[in-house]
Amino acid sequence: MAIRLNDNPEIVKMIREGLKEKDGYCPCRREKKPEYKCICEEFRAQMADPDFEGYCHCQLYYKEKD
């Protein structure tokens, strides 16, 4: 398994700025809940799934299958 940043530097920049503004919480979500703290609970579950390949909710990270 490999986790990498999105290949698009503009998306990475935009999401990172949003994370700074929201104290590390997903900028794509309204609430600041513990499960939305980056790397969010949803993507951690997807990372644990051996069959999942794809982006996290906000598309900052991408999980590649082996």
Side-chain angles (χ1 to χ4, degrees):
M1 170 184 72
I3 305 296
R4 63 173 171 81
L5 288 174
N6 191 315
D7 291 332
N8 185 326
E10 290 300 314
I11 289 176
V12 172
K13 180 182 175 191
M14 181 178 64
I15 297 300
R16 284 187 167 168
E17 288 172 357
L19 284 167
K20 285 180 187 177
E21 291 174 15
K22 290 190 73 177
D23 299 320
Y25 291 89
C26 182
C28 305
R29 308 211 188 235
R30 289 182 186 222
E31 300 97 356
K32 287 184 178 180
K33 294 182 175 181
E35 59 265 27
Y36 298 156
K37 189 83 166 182
C38 191
I39 292 177
C40 69
E41 187 176 295
E42 177 184 359
F43 192 57
R44 283 181 286 172
Q46 291 169 327
M47 288 171 23
D49 178 354
D51 295 323
F52 176 81
E53 180 168 352
Y55 286 102
C56 67
H57 178 80
C58 67
Q59 297 192 1
L60 178 61
Y61 295 107
Y62 187 85
K63 178 196 171 203
E64 298 175 346
K65 290 189 339 183
D66 292 332

